Amino acid sequence: MNLPYKNIMLGMLLGIAGLGLVACGDKTAETTTSAETAVAAPAGDEEKVLNIYNWSDYLAEDTIPNFEKETGIKVRYDVFDSNEILHAKLMAKNTGYDIVVPSSNWARLQIDGGLLQKLDKSKLTNYGNLDPDILAQMANLDPDNAYMVDWLWSYTTVGINVDKVKAALGDMPMPENAWDLVFNPKYTSKLKSCGITFLDAPTEVFPIALKYVGKPAHSNNADDYKVAYEMLAKVRPDIQKFSSGGQIDDLAGGNVCVALGWAGDFNLARNRSIENKSPQNIEALITSMGGYMFMDTMVIPADAKHVDNAHKFINYILRPEVHAGLTNAVTYANPNKAATQFVDEEVRNNKTIFLPAEDVKKLIPPGNVDNATRRVMTRYFTQFKTGA
Ligand code: SPD
């Protein structure tokens, strides 16, 4: 195990808690084909179909084709861009999916709501590849790791196009706390000239905004949200757009220069700009205040019809080469200790992907608020976006 990777694990332990259609890299928000149209399986034999709903830009090109070739199971792969969208589907209790990938704090809510099935670990022969420290951390939200298997993980932070930001700031030096770049009008008023974008979901923005104004990141006090909203309202005129799945292309294409978004997507944006032959100097910043950690987890919805196939897929992802392939393709860290040797050296040594322990300790751990607070948060976020 390389040192940076081990550091992360230690830090985390200390710090917290269609049927034949493949849409790899598909950036449409979601497709509507439903698993319910699948032909019924012969008795006692599960039909060779698997329906997966995952975040966009979160897959290696060969992940699904290799699984299909090896198992003969046809995968329908749809994508989404927010936990809110996935949660609404699960709440309707008729998802049509066999595997979905919520962040761990949302999966906790979904376990409590009876929306997920327990894993059968006897079918997960590669489960031992998972890092025990990550499992211990995840057990804070999922006791005995009964429901969730981590797909990949990262953190919400500030991403910048270094050259464009320097040009827009002129003589003004970079702030000590990089969150000022998106939350302080002194900076946003200058950076709006090259474009500022925010994630488009209340639960992505508010925990960080709350911490920035000195309140608990997972506060259940409505007054705290008002304080955070008032701070956000001051920078609203300088924000060009709200987008979650669109940040990679917006940064890679030079349409924006500053983003409140996911570190993995910022590294991916830099790589994409190079692929597109228009390299942009994009960096995920490690802020002095810290970012917001998330783990996106494979879970099986209560209505899943292909539970055995779902276990086969999870077990396949847990193979070291497959899990490393995801990390190499999308620049998000994986939880698979056996995969480290297969992670490209450049990715493995990138300290914004595999964070040193001291930076992991600064992250806000995954957490939840009560339902009444979530409504307050949503109301303030809508007000913030609409500028009302
Ligand atoms: N392009 C992959 C995006 C995955 C983002 N998951 C973020 C969850 C944050 N709570």
Side-chain angles (χ1 to χ4, degrees):
M1 176 179 283
N2 67 81
L3 194 57
Y5 187 70
K6 185 66 187 166
N7 283 346
I8 299 160
M9 302 307 133
L10 287 170
M12 291 175 75
L13 186 61
L14 292 170
I16 353 178
L19 294 180
L21 293 180
V22 179
C24 305
D26 186 353
K27 279 178 278 313
T28 53
E30 51 185 306
T31 61
T32 52
T33 319
S34 168
E36 293 149 48
T37 57
V39 180
D45 193 10
E46 199 167 86
E47 64 181 338
K48 291 207 161 244
V49 170
L50 181 67
N51 302 290
I52 303 177
Y53 197 40
N54 198 353
W55 297 82
S56 60
D57 289 294
Y58 225 19
L59 193 64
E61 268 184 25
D62 61 358
T63 312
I64 301 294
N66 285 349
F67 176 75
E68 290 185 314
K69 210 184 302 166
E70 185 176 307
T71 61
I73 294 169
K74 291 292 176 194
V75 176
R76 176 173 63 105
Y77 190 89
D78 296 338
V79 299
F80 59 87
D81 285 323
S82 81
N83 275 299
E84 282 81 350
I85 290 175
L86 168 57
H87 192 65
K89 271 210 188 331
L90 283 160
M91 289 291 282
K93 299 190 177 175
N94 185 21
T95 65
Y97 293 106
D98 305 304
I99 293 182
V100 298
V101 188
S103 302
S104 60
N105 54 330
W106 285 81
R108 174 70 249 166
L109 294 177
Q110 292 148 10
I111 293 168
D112 292 342
L115 306 176
L116 305 181
Q117 302 189 28
K118 270 194 181 171
L119 297 165
D120 178 349
K121 292 208 193 117
S122 71
K123 294 180 176 165
L124 302 178
T125 54
N126 296 323
Y127 197 81
N129 292 335
L130 286 167
D131 191 288
D133 294 341
I134 291 223
L135 287 172
Q137 195 275 338
M138 287 185 58
N140 290 329
L141 289 168
D142 177 23
D144 301 325
N145 304 106
Y147 292 85
M148 310 178 200
V149 175
D150 187 31
W151 173 266
L152 295 171
W153 69 271
S154 184
Y155 54 97
T156 306
T157 188
V158 182
I160 61 168
N161 181 316
V162 178
D163 304 328
K164 287 180 190 287
V165 164
K166 277 192 182 148
L169 290 182
D171 292 339
M172 189 182 273
M174 285 285 281
E176 187 275 322
N177 177 5
W179 285 109
D180 282 344
L181 296 173
V182 291
F183 290 148
N184 183 338
K186 186 172 129 189
Y187 294 92
T188 58
S189 58
K190 289 191 175 292
L191 295 170
K192 71 177 178 188
S193 60
C194 56
I196 301 175
T197 180
F198 272 41
L199 290 172
D200 191 6
T203 53
E204 300 288 355
V205 174
F206 266 104
I208 293 159
L210 283 162
K211 187 165 179 190
Y212 183 79
V213 298
K215 306 292 181 189
H218 302 302
S219 172
N220 279 307
N221 181 344
D223 294 342
D224 291 348
Y225 287 83
K226 183 165 187 291
V227 175
Y229 162 74
E230 284 166 354
M231 177 278 288
L232 290 168
K234 293 195 182 111
V235 296
R236 177 63 188 92
D238 301 333
I239 298 169
Q240 180 181 316
K241 55 161 54 172
F242 290 84
S243 165
S244 295
Q247 289 196 352
I248 298 170
D249 283 340
D250 278 337
L251 282 162
N255 305 327
V256 296
C257 63
V258 182
L260 181 161
W262 303 310
D265 280 7
F266 299 149
N267 281 297
L268 189 51
R270 187 185 53 252
N271 292 349
R272 190 164 291 172
S273 73
I274 294 166
E275 279 161 28
N276 293 345
K277 310 226 176 319
S278 171
Q280 305 287 332
N281 188 4
I282 298 160
E283 263 182 29
L285 300 181
I286 304 293
T287 68
S288 58
M289 185 188 97
Y292 182 19
M293 176 184 239
F294 59 85
M295 304 171 113
D296 293 327
T297 68
M298 293 178 276
V299 297
I300 304 179
D303 69 308
K305 297 194 173 45
H306 309 98
V307 173
D308 195 45
N309 295 346
H311 283 86
K312 284 191 177 116
F313 184 79
I314 294 171
N315 204 38
Y316 164 77
I317 293 297
L318 290 178
R319 285 186 201 164
E321 297 89 338
V322 178
H323 232 152
L326 293 180
T327 292
N328 289 334
V330 301
T331 60
Y332 278 75
N334 67 68
N336 190 319
K337 69 179 189 309
T340 308
Q341 60 178 312
F342 300 106
V343 174
D344 297 340
E345 198 180 340
E346 198 187 333
V347 175
R348 205 167 57 211
N349 293 331
N350 183 328
K351 290 190 165 54
T352 69
I353 300 173
F354 291 104
L355 293 178
E358 63 269 23
D359 291 324
V360 174
K361 271 190 258 174
K362 283 192 274 176
L363 298 177
I364 300 166
N368 283 320
V369 296
D370 60 39
N371 288 334
T373 302
R374 198 167 305 108
R375 284 192 289 276
V376 169
M377 193 192 307
T378 302
R379 202 175 62 237
Y380 276 126
F381 190 71
T382 307
Q383 242 175 281
F384 166 46
K385 268 181 73 175
T386 58

